[in-house]
Amino acid sequence: MTAISYNKTPQVGWWAGNARFVNLSGKLLGAHVAHAGLIVLWAGAMTFFEIARYNPELPLYEQSLIILPHLATLGIGVGDGGQIVDTYPYFVIGVFHLISSAVLGAGGLYHTLLAPDVLETNDYNFQGFFGYDWQDDNKMTSIIGIHLVLLGLGAYLLVFKAMFWGGLFDPWAGNAGQVRVITDPTINPGQIFGYLFGAFGEGGMAAVNNLEDVVGGHLWVGSICILGGLWHMATRPFSWTKQVLVYSAEAYLSYSLAAVAYMALFAAYFCTVNDTVYPEVFYGPVGLIETSRGVVTARGWLASFHFVFALLFIFGHIWHAIRARGAAAGFDRPGISPLFRGLEIGMAHGYWIFGPFALLGPQRATEQGNLIGLLSACGLVIIMTACLSIYGNASFRKEFDSKNLTYATANPVVPESLKTVDGWSQFTAAFFVGGMGGAFFAYLVYDNLEILKDIFSGNI
């Protein structure tokens, strides 16, 4: 017995991505395995690339490297003072990732080309264990539980590396930092969870300044994740969660995007202010994005990348959450949906209103002129979104009523899908996502205009 009745890939454009496989659990598994292979391939290839570029005469953080600083922080190939003394372990790690990517790639091809398109939902055999139905809340909580257990084991791996497999680089040990084994991690819950409540400063968890607390925190997080995973695998959702949450593929995607966005924002902040987990010798001085020689530090790259992508994931979460809620409410009408109308109109507004603020504003000639233009454009998008929301609540509080017509309900030009509270809410939320995205896109284009000109002219 299969989980769903649809067993063919829909005839939609390539841009639909994995949405084509929503009802094809086998092919969706293949896509996930193949994506994992690409990620591991990037890690291995990037490791080799950075080994080839590494210059022992320059500080590590001035060489635009990402992988090597992380490996060095783990105490791999590093001597006293943070000096890299042996690059061979990096070579081994790169080879391991490349071999792993080949195995994952083969698995992705198998599930894409040879394996069944839809997996059986039968917990009594190995293949059926991976089958699922999006509406099966018990199966979904089991999948969440499995992921939590894997995350817990990942946290434990860092603990084992710190305590038994060579230790970590401690920037506060010795004269200028050295690799040491953490023999006595902090297990006092008051000490560990005190960071969450600002007991050690306004930095919260980012205020941690010793590896004992770092490793102890991973012990607690790993244990909580594993226990939480086992709980989810053994229980069904509470009744109130069934009323609050939407159980569909797009809803799960929105939940995941929200979680990733939160983690990316926290990582950007942690990287910016903390020099224990992100030692200055590898990532550059705290808070320094660019050196006096114009080189972006490793800390600058990490913080900027995580912040930008956190914003993108937040917009993605809002977009997919709206679509999931709309589908659950029965909004699946032919023609252009309120979501796409709002997205297109919002993108156009956000893109064009950036220019006047950036080029005509009082700060137009300053170094921060473009950033101020972006923030101003985003502020106007928020104001317009609030106005749209107020208008919708006032005009469509009740369903269409011929005795109480507004401009939108009386005007035949206004699409029918917008003449309800839910339809207008989708339009408004999509306008916000599109407007913010359009403003960010315009900012990135204009702020890097000279680089784009050089690329298109063939100078780069």
Side-chain angles (χ1 to χ4, degrees):
M1 178 179 178
T2 58
I4 51 180
S5 58
Y6 308 101
N7 55 11
K8 292 184 179 180
T9 304
Q11 298 299 316
V12 295
W14 61 268
W15 44 264
N18 286 347
R20 298 171 296 168
F21 308 139
V22 165
N23 295 323
L24 303 173
S25 54
K27 287 194 175 299
L28 187 61
L29 175 61
H32 276 70
V33 174
H35 287 170
L38 289 174
I39 295 171
V40 176
L41 174 64
W42 174 88
M46 196 67 181
T47 301
F48 282 124
F49 174 75
E50 293 191 3
I51 292 174
R53 285 177 54 90
Y54 171 65
N55 183 356
E57 303 299 325
L58 293 175
L60 196 61
Y61 60 84
E62 286 192 1
Q63 301 185 48
S64 299
L65 307 178
I66 296 296
I67 302 295
L68 296 193
H70 281 87
L71 294 176
T73 304
L74 292 173
I76 300 174
V78 180
D80 291 346
Q83 182 69 33
I84 294 180
V85 296
D86 186 7
T87 60
Y88 181 72
Y90 304 150
F91 173 79
V92 174
I93 291 172
V95 170
F96 177 80
H97 279 79
L98 290 181
I99 294 175
S100 300
S101 71
V103 176
L104 290 169
L109 290 174
Y110 169 78
H111 283 285
T112 300
L113 302 176
L114 301 177
D117 291 347
V118 180
L119 302 174
E120 295 182 354
T121 54
N122 182 359
D123 293 336
Y124 296 101
N125 59 53
F126 182 76
Q127 294 82 359
F129 178 77
F130 294 94
Y132 55 84
D133 180 354
W134 296 116
Q135 282 71 44
D136 184 354
D137 52 26
N138 187 45
K139 187 68 174 181
M140 292 300 110
T141 54
S142 296
I143 293 176
I144 293 174
I146 293 171
H147 282 76
L148 286 173
V149 170
L150 293 176
L151 287 172
L153 293 176
Y156 274 173
L157 285 177
L158 180 67
V159 175
F160 295 154
K161 175 66 175 70
M163 298 183 64
F164 309 112
W165 301 336
L168 304 175
F169 180 81
D170 187 350
W172 313 119
N175 294 327
Q178 63 185 24
V179 178
R180 70 180 182 90
V181 175
I182 311 303
T183 58
D184 189 23
T186 304
I187 59 174
N188 180 1
Q191 176 81 7
I192 296 299
F193 294 101
Y195 286 101
L196 297 177
F197 304 100
F200 303 100
E202 297 179 352
M205 279 192 285
V208 64
N209 59 5
N210 64 89
L211 291 184
E212 276 71 20
D213 286 359
V214 172
V215 177
H218 280 78
L219 268 173
W220 274 99
V221 169
S223 301
I224 292 172
C225 285
I226 292 175
L227 291 176
L230 295 175
W231 163 264
H232 281 291
M233 286 189 283
T235 61
R236 298 183 70 96
F238 296 118
S239 58
W240 65 267
T241 62
K242 297 181 182 180
Q243 299 174 1
V244 174
L245 301 177
V246 176
Y247 290 85
S248 68
E250 192 145 29
Y252 304 139
L253 174 59
S254 72
Y255 305 149
S256 301
L257 288 173
V260 174
Y262 164 75
M263 290 185 285
L265 280 175
F266 184 76
Y269 168 69
F270 207 108
C271 176
T272 302
V273 304
N274 187 273
D275 54 357
T276 297
V277 178
Y278 295 93
E280 292 189 0
V281 67
F282 302 140
Y283 298 93
V286 169
L288 183 65
I289 300 298
E290 185 176 334
T291 67
S292 59
R293 299 194 298 116
V295 178
V296 178
T297 65
R299 192 182 303 274
W301 280 115
L302 282 173
S304 301
F305 178 89
H306 280 85
F307 179 75
V308 171
F309 272 78
L311 294 179
L312 294 176
F313 277 95
I314 288 174
F315 295 147
H317 159 70
I318 296 173
W319 169 255
H320 287 289
I322 296 167
R323 283 177 51 90
R325 290 285 178 181
F331 273 84
D332 190 15
R333 302 183 179 184
I336 301 178
S337 69
L339 287 173
F340 283 102
R341 290 184 189 275
L343 187 65
E344 292 174 0
I345 295 173
M347 289 176 66
H349 280 75
Y351 181 81
W352 291 113
I353 64 178
F354 163 79
F357 283 117
L359 303 181
L360 303 178
Q363 301 293 323
R364 58 185 179 275
T366 65
E367 184 178 348
Q368 294 80 23
N370 294 340
L371 179 59
I372 293 174
L374 169 64
L375 297 177
S376 301
C378 292
L380 184 55
V381 169
I382 293 174
I383 293 173
M384 290 189 291
T385 303
C387 293
L388 287 172
S389 179
I390 293 171
Y391 175 80
N393 287 332
S395 300
F396 309 116
R397 188 177 299 277
K398 296 181 180 180
E399 295 300 322
F400 180 78
D401 184 358
S402 60
K403 298 180 181 180
N404 184 25
L405 298 177
T406 64
Y407 170 79
T409 55
N411 193 334
V413 178
V414 178
E416 292 295 327
S417 60
L418 295 180
K419 296 181 179 181
T420 62
V421 174
D422 288 338
W424 191 265
S425 297
Q426 293 183 52
F427 171 80
T428 302
F431 174 87
F432 171 76
V433 175
M436 299 293 276
F440 270 95
F441 179 76
Y443 165 76
L444 292 174
V445 170
Y446 189 76
D447 201 52
N448 298 279
L449 193 58
E450 295 301 322
I451 298 177
L452 294 175
K453 289 180 179 178
D454 290 338
I455 292 175
F456 290 127
S457 63
N459 295 329
I460 295 182

